[in-house]
Amino acid sequence: GLAAGAAETQSSSMPILMYHDLTQDPNKTSSMTITDERFRLDMEFLESFGYTPLFPSEVEEIGEGKRSLPARPVMITFDDGYRSNYELLFPLLQAYQMKAVVSIMVYMQDVSADNFLSWDMCREMADSGLVEIGSHAYSLHNLGDLGGNFDPGGINGIQRDPEESDSAFEARVLGDIQKSHDRIAQEVGQPVTFFAYPFGITEPDAEAFVHELFPVTAVTRHGTADLGKGLHELPRMTVTMDRELEDILKD
């Protein structure tokens, strides 16, 4: 945690911004998609107000007391790993020298899915020093018949099926999470420090495993992260077209 002397003057709170997809077409925005121009304005805002973007690996060092929290910390996160993260996000990170963590559904890289990042893109972004690649699981984001969508009556993300034996759960869920971690480490060649829970859903039977594998984890619950309370299941703030970043950060 923070040194006792610094605790009085320094907060341990850090907003974590959650984005997914970017588009150049203002007619294609949604709860998951904003325009690249909007993202550029967000970067401009963060720059003008002196925010320092942090990687999960830096947040880990803050948690260990090896680094202190800057005056206005922020973490920029992108979930799913859409190709727009390379084509539209990456040039803007370069222009503003901002950092982001992109959490990929690793199955998409392994099958070279069209609308998703390739391993080459992941490597290039990671090598730039402006992107860390995190895990959004391997194929547990309801990939397959559900098309990646939430199933209101079903088992979602890393949830355990009540009918499942320990060994079946370990193979299906823990094995999937481990595989996502290992493939990123192998392909990208940097430590994998971040896990974004698919659909933001946690699972008690996976908690110890996930925490052991990933120093920093995040959910989709709305709020400002308090690093003084630990680095796992951190809440995030969804960025959409209908609210300016300045208002989102006031929450």
Side-chain angles (χ1 to χ4, degrees):
L2 298 164
E8 288 83 41
T9 53
Q10 193 178 24
S11 152
S12 56
S13 69
M14 177 184 73
I16 304 177
L17 303 176
M18 178 168 63
Y19 300 89
H20 290 80
D21 208 354
L22 297 179
T23 180
Q24 287 178 310
D25 182 350
N27 298 313
K28 290 194 176 154
T29 62
S30 69
S31 62
M32 296 284 179
T33 307
I34 62 165
T35 61
D36 59 335
E37 173 58 15
R38 164 59 197 264
F39 185 77
R40 190 186 68 74
L41 292 171
D42 288 356
M43 295 306 94
E44 210 155 82
F45 175 85
L46 293 175
E47 186 179 64
S48 10
F49 286 90
Y51 280 87
T52 302
L54 297 172
F55 279 142
S57 61
E58 295 171 312
V59 170
E60 180 189 9
E61 290 176 353
I62 288 161
E64 292 169 345
K66 293 177 184 168
R67 176 192 284 265
S68 58
L69 204 58
R72 287 197 165 179
V74 64
M75 192 157 76
I76 299 166
T77 71
F78 276 78
D79 285 7
D80 300 336
Y82 295 103
R83 189 150 295 202
S84 67
N85 295 178
Y86 177 79
E87 292 169 350
L88 302 176
L89 166 64
F90 188 38
L92 288 168
L93 294 177
Q94 290 169 309
Y96 287 91
Q97 287 298 293
M98 290 281 179
K99 297 171 179 172
V101 55
V102 176
S103 300
I104 60 176
M105 302 183 290
V106 179
Y107 172 82
M108 296 303 191
Q109 282 62 51
D110 278 354
V111 298
S112 304
D114 283 353
N115 191 33
F116 291 85
L117 297 169
S118 68
W119 281 124
D120 281 341
M121 291 171 187
C122 291
R123 273 188 285 275
E124 185 185 336
M125 293 197 298
D127 290 347
S128 73
L130 299 175
V131 173
E132 273 186 10
I133 302 293
S135 166
H136 204 32
Y138 189 83
S139 62
L140 288 177
H141 202 295
N142 293 7
L143 302 181
D145 297 347
L146 291 164
N149 297 312
F150 183 79
D151 178 7
I155 303 296
N156 290 279
I158 70 164
Q159 277 182 316
R160 180 170 182 165
D161 186 327
E163 309 292 302
E164 217 166 15
S165 67
D166 286 353
S167 60
F169 171 76
E170 283 164 17
R172 185 181 68 85
V173 172
L174 305 189
D176 181 287
I177 296 167
Q178 182 78 53
K179 185 175 183 181
S180 74
H181 174 282
D182 294 351
R183 292 290 297 126
I184 297 167
Q186 180 184 3
E187 290 287 344
V188 180
Q190 60 174 214
V192 189
T193 56
F194 186 72
F195 184 73
Y197 286 89
F199 308 107
I201 295 172
T202 57
E203 165 54 62
D205 290 346
E207 188 176 317
F209 182 83
V210 170
H211 291 187
E212 179 67 28
L213 208 51
F214 303 99
V216 184
T217 61
V219 289
T220 53
R221 188 178 76 254
H222 185 82
T224 303
D226 179 357
L227 303 183
K229 293 181 177 163
L231 308 181
H232 289 114
E233 281 78 82
L234 299 173
R236 295 188 282 174
M237 299 168 161
T238 303
V239 181
T240 53
M241 294 298 286
D242 50 13
R243 288 187 78 199
E244 291 186 20
L245 183 58
E246 184 171 7
D247 294 330
I248 294 171
L249 285 167
K250 284 177 185 158
D251 283 0

